Amino acid sequence: MTVIMGAQELSEFLGREFPQVAGDFAIEEVGDRRIRVRLVVGERHLRPGGTVSGPSIFALADVAIYLALLAMIGPEALAVTTNCAIDFMRKPAANTDLIAECRLLKLGRVLAIGDVLIYSDGAPEPVARASLTYSIPPK
């Protein structure tokens, strides 16, 4: 498939449609059914002990799948998450950005399914794995 929206277009879309969180995420790479997104970790993402909170890790997984989907179908603000399963596998590094490596496994007319591996920046082992399903509104 052809990538319809690149990193710049996706960043602009995120800033326009979701300005409240757009600054938290940096799109590093976009390809056919895949994307790499960074969570720029700040104090608001941390839980006691200085590690990234579960809700922040979920947000990164959710945004990564959403952006991977939009890269393939174009700007569709009303695509929504219909299912998510996430495994928290190890403690993220303290005060370190997280990287989501996402790939779409299925891209149909009404559903998209993707997997995300989330890493502490520079670490070889993932801290979390997520599987999400998105509903694509009819044209």
Side-chain angles (χ1 to χ4, degrees):
M1 291 186 77
T2 303
V3 173
I4 294 175
M5 295 177 76
Q8 182 67 34
E9 293 91 358
L10 290 168
S11 292
E12 290 169 2
F13 176 86
L14 203 57
R16 187 172 54 252
E17 299 296 327
F18 300 97
Q20 68 275 27
V21 297
D24 289 351
F25 303 100
I27 301 160
E28 297 189 342
E29 184 181 327
V30 179
D32 181 16
R33 296 180 186 227
R34 63 181 178 75
I35 197 165
R36 179 181 163 105
V37 179
R38 174 181 297 267
L39 173 64
V40 181
V41 172
E43 191 66 31
R44 71 187 164 283
H45 301 113
L46 303 180
R47 56 169 287 134
T51 63
V52 179
S53 70
S56 295
I57 294 171
F58 168 79
L60 175 58
D62 193 41
V63 165
I65 293 279
Y66 183 60
L67 293 174
L69 173 61
L70 297 186
M72 302 311 297
I73 68 169
E76 180 53 71
L78 298 179
V80 296
T81 309
T82 60
N83 189 52
C84 177
I86 189 165
D87 297 306
F88 299 100
M89 301 186 300
R90 55 189 51 84
K91 183 179 173 180
N95 295 309
T96 301
D97 287 355
L98 294 182
I99 307 295
E101 296 279 351
C102 169
R103 63 189 171 117
L104 294 178
L105 304 174
K106 175 190 185 330
L107 179 55
R109 288 181 299 109
V110 296
L111 289 179
I113 300 169
D115 267 346
V116 184
L117 288 174
I118 297 174
Y119 300 85
S120 288
D121 190 19
E125 297 294 327
V127 299
R129 183 199 66 82
S131 176
L132 289 93
T133 303
Y134 256 81
S135 175
I136 304 166
K139 297 284 179 198

